Structures are given as structure tokens and as C-alpha cells.
């Protein structure tokens, strides 16, 4: 994707995850938007046609979007702040998942666990490197090791989105550990407790 297409992709993300009303469309209960309405609404401010939209969907590095079978509908795979059911698959997680965030949120997470805040779910990565990238968007990154297998054994549900992001409604603090040793040492000096 070129710079302009990345800009359009971010705008599509805003519409399909948070604010469809910005371009005067609505989503159905499963988060689907009519493709022709989406194109028409976006084309008022950003040049968009079906060819560009297909390119954005196929080349998005995070695979944020999906078409239905005949490409008449489109939706974001996860990350919604509006209440939609994107028909997530309930799945058994691996033993360990990862969560990246900014350092400023660490104390709160270790006190209260991970909550979705403005989103519907807590987003978890299947690998450490992805969590670092996600955390970098929020300042100095901190990565949490999530004991997902133990959580699942305790009855907590996990879901996996179309693009492979693991999701949960809530991660209690007893299943969270700050992963980087240097960060752990620095935080322990501030009376933050790890939960192995």
C-alpha cells in the first residue's frame, strides 16, 4: 500500500470499528457494512473505488478487514468500540499469550488486571515480537506474559478473530506477569508485584 492507501485504511478502520455515522452508514449486528455505501461515503473525502478497497483489504499487514463471499459486505475483524457481534470463534488458547502496552499503564494493569477499556475485548498476541510492536504505539513498550492456558482451565473464555488476534473479556491480575527482567526490576522498586 502507498501512503494514500494507508491513510484511507485508517479512515476505514475508524468507520468500521468506531464511527460508521461519520460517512452516514450503519453496521448490522455482526459489524458488516454495505461495500457500495462505504465506497460512496468515503469517496466524498478520499478517492476510493472497489479496486483500491480490494487492494487495502488484501495488503493490510494486520489483516484488519474481511469481505463476505460475494464482496458486497465488509467488516473489521476486531477492535470495535461499538457493540457488534463479529461472530468470534471460541477457542482453546496456547499456554502463553502476550500483551503489549505503554509503561504508563503497567501499575494499573498489575493492580486491576487487563480490561478492554473502550474496546469490547482485551487484545492478545500469540508472539512476543507482535506485543512489542503494539506496545510501542503507546510510548515506551512493556510486554506482559499472559498465562492463558491456566485461565482457560479456570473457565475463562478466549476467542480468536479472523486475522489471528486472541481476545478475552478480561484478564485477572493473577494471570499476568511483566516479562522484561529490566522493567520488572525497575517496577518492583515502585512497589509493583509480579504475578507468576
Amino acid at each position: 500500500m502507498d501512503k494514500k492507501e494507508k491513510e484511507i485504511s485508517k479512515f476505514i478502520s475508524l468507520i468500521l470499528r468506531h464511527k460508521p455515522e461519520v460517512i452516514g452508514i450503519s453496521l448490522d449486528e455482526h459489524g458488516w457494512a454495505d461495500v457500495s455505501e462505504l465506497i460512496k461515503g468515503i469517496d466524498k473525502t478520499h478517492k476510493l473505488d472497489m479496486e483500491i478497497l480490494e487492494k487495502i483489504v488484501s495488503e493490510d499487514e494486520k489483516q484488519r478487514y474481511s469481505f463476505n463471499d460475494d464482496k458486497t459486505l465488509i467488516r473489521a475483524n476486531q477492535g470495535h468500540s461499538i457493540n457488534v457481534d463479529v461472530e468470534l470463534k471460541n477457542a482453546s488458547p496456547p499456554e502463553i499469550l502476550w500483551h503489549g502496552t505503554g509503561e504508563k499503564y503497567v501499575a494499573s494493569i498489575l493492580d486491576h488486571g487487563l480490561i478492554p477499556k473502550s474496546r469490547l475485548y482485551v487484545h492478545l498476541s500469540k508472539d512476543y515480537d507482535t506485543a512489542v510492536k503494539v506496545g510501542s504505539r503507546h510510548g515506551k513498550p512493556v510486554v506482559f506474559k499472559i498465562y492463558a492456558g491456566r485461565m482457560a482451565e479456570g473457565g475463562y473464555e478466549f476467542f480468536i478473530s479472523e486475522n489471528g488476534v486472541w481476545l478475552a473479556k478480561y484478564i485477572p491480575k493473577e494471570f499476568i506477569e511483566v516479562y522484561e527482567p529490566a522493567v520488572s526490576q525497575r517496577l518492583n522498586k515502585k512497589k509493583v508485584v509480579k504475578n507468576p
Side-chain angles (χ1 to χ4, degrees):
M1 277 191 284
D2 63 25
K3 187 178 177 183
K4 202 156 190 82
E5 289 161 348
K6 285 182 180 175
E7 183 181 310
I8 294 169
S9 180
K10 286 182 180 178
F11 191 44
I12 292 170
S13 179
L14 172 75
I15 292 161
L16 295 181
R17 290 175 164 178
H18 312 293
K19 296 182 176 183
E21 68 277 4
V22 166
I23 61 166
I25 67 168
S26 59
L27 308 180
D28 73 11
E29 69 272 18
H30 298 297
W32 293 107
D34 181 277
V35 167
S36 59
E37 289 179 8
L38 180 80
I39 290 172
K40 185 178 172 187
I42 291 176
D43 196 49
K44 293 173 185 172
T45 56
H46 299 77
K47 179 74 177 122
L48 182 65
D49 58 25
M50 188 62 179
E51 184 179 339
I52 294 170
L53 182 59
E54 285 178 327
K55 183 178 181 193
I56 288 169
V57 171
S58 68
E59 293 182 9
D60 185 84
E61 64 182 28
K62 296 181 185 173
Q63 293 296 293
R64 287 182 180 98
Y65 318 108
S66 294
F67 285 117
N68 66 343
D69 290 339
D70 64 2
K71 295 187 178 179
T72 57
L73 300 174
I74 186 173
R75 71 177 172 192
N77 289 319
Q78 96 288 319
H80 299 81
S81 61
I82 52 178
N83 195 15
V84 295
D85 172 14
V86 291
E87 305 164 294
L88 294 168
K89 299 171 197 150
N90 193 312
S92 295
E95 282 302 309
I96 302 298
L97 287 169
W98 306 91
H99 180 81
T101 191
E103 192 174 43
K104 60 188 171 187
Y105 302 115
V106 172
S108 174
I109 290 168
L110 290 176
D111 282 345
H112 306 289
L114 280 163
I115 57 174
K117 293 190 179 176
S118 63
R119 292 184 171 183
L120 301 179
Y121 297 93
V122 174
H123 291 209
L124 304 167
S125 305
K126 59 187 171 198
D127 62 85
Y128 172 83
D129 292 339
T130 301
V132 171
K133 287 179 193 171
V134 171
S136 297
R137 289 188 226 137
H138 303 282
K140 189 171 183 178
V142 175
V143 175
F144 291 98
K145 188 176 189 178
I146 308 300
Y147 291 92
R150 287 193 351 221
M151 275 185 69
E153 287 170 14
Y156 290 91
E157 288 187 312
F158 286 84
F159 305 91
I160 189 160
S161 69
E162 287 290 323
N163 58 340
V165 174
W166 284 90
L167 305 164
K169 290 281 190 187
Y170 168 65
I171 310 290
K173 65 183 182 179
E174 59 267 24
F175 298 105
I176 298 171
E177 177 185 350
V178 176
Y179 187 65
E180 292 90 350
V183 173
S184 295
Q185 289 169 3
R186 188 169 67 248
L187 293 172
N188 282 332
K189 290 178 185 173
K190 297 178 185 176
K191 198 183 167 284
V192 174
V193 179
K194 284 173 50 172
N195 299 298

